[in-house]
Amino acid sequence: MPDVARPYAASNALEDTGQMPALFVRERQPTPPPPRPAGPDFDRIQHGKEFVALRKTFRRFVFPMSLLFFTWYMTFVLLAAYAHDFMSRKVWGEVNVGILLGLGQFASTILITVVYLKFAKKRLDPKVEALRASVGAGER
């Protein structure tokens, strides 16, 4: 720390920085970079035509289904927030439209899951297995 009483006095650089000199200095040898793990070349796989086709097949299902579910969910939320008369309309006994649409949210989630599992088993899994076989990834 500089001496504030003597601003123009010569100071020690070590005192200015607050660092102490090392007592025992050993020259360090540069360490070699760690070896790359043996395995698939993920960059090549990601840009390969098989993976691009797999990703396109996946997106063709997921994006429309996500948009459909989001629209359905937001419709339910907006109806619950602004259409009280419609949502409270009795359908059967004490069951009203709001309860049925709320249960429909659970049912649609289960339905989307089942449809995705069938889609993945039929369309995605064979492509994934073919891609694994082509890059030599094998079984996990």
Side-chain angles (χ1 to χ4, degrees), residues 17-50:
T17 61
Q19 296 177 355
M20 296 295 295
L23 297 176
F24 303 102
V25 178
R26 179 174 27 164
E27 288 188 29
R28 294 185 181 175
Q29 298 295 327
T31 58
R36 291 189 69 179
D41 182 8
F42 293 110
D43 289 332
R44 183 181 60 79
I45 293 169
Q46 182 180 9
H47 294 86
K49 64 181 180 179
E50 297 92 0

Side-chain angles (χ1 to χ4, degrees), residues 108-124:
S108 64
T109 302
I110 293 168
L111 179 68
I112 289 171
T113 303
V114 169
V115 170
Y116 174 76
L117 289 174
K118 288 183 179 184
F119 171 80
K121 189 173 186 176
K122 182 180 177 184
R123 297 261 180 100
L124 297 179

Side-chain angles (χ1 to χ4, degrees), residues 6-119:
R6 297 182 300 165
Y8 298 109
S11 63
N12 186 347
L14 292 177
E15 291 176 356
D16 289 344
T17 61
Q19 296 177 355
M20 296 295 295
L23 297 176
F24 303 102
V25 178
R26 179 174 27 164
E27 288 188 29
R28 294 185 181 175
Q29 298 295 327
T31 58
R36 291 189 69 179
D41 182 8
F42 293 110
D43 289 332
R44 183 181 60 79
I45 293 169
Q46 182 180 9
H47 294 86
K49 64 181 180 179
E50 297 92 0
F51 187 78
V52 170
L54 175 66
R55 189 172 53 213
K56 185 183 285 188
T57 303
F58 175 75
R59 287 180 175 175
R60 279 189 187 152
F61 178 84
V62 170
F63 288 155
M65 191 63 70
S66 297
L67 182 65
L68 178 70
F69 182 78
F70 183 71
T71 303
W72 157 234
Y73 175 74
M74 287 309 297
T75 301
F76 172 72
V77 170
L78 291 173
L79 285 173
Y82 298 109
H84 299 285
D85 293 337
F86 173 71
M87 294 293 271
S88 63
R89 186 173 295 156
K90 303 283 185 202
V91 176
W92 177 66
E94 292 298 315
V95 178
N96 60 23
V97 174
I99 290 174
L100 291 179
L101 292 179
L103 291 173
Q105 291 290 316
F106 291 104
S108 64
T109 302
I110 293 168
L111 179 68
I112 289 171
T113 303
V114 169
V115 170
Y116 174 76
L117 289 174
K118 288 183 179 184
F119 171 80

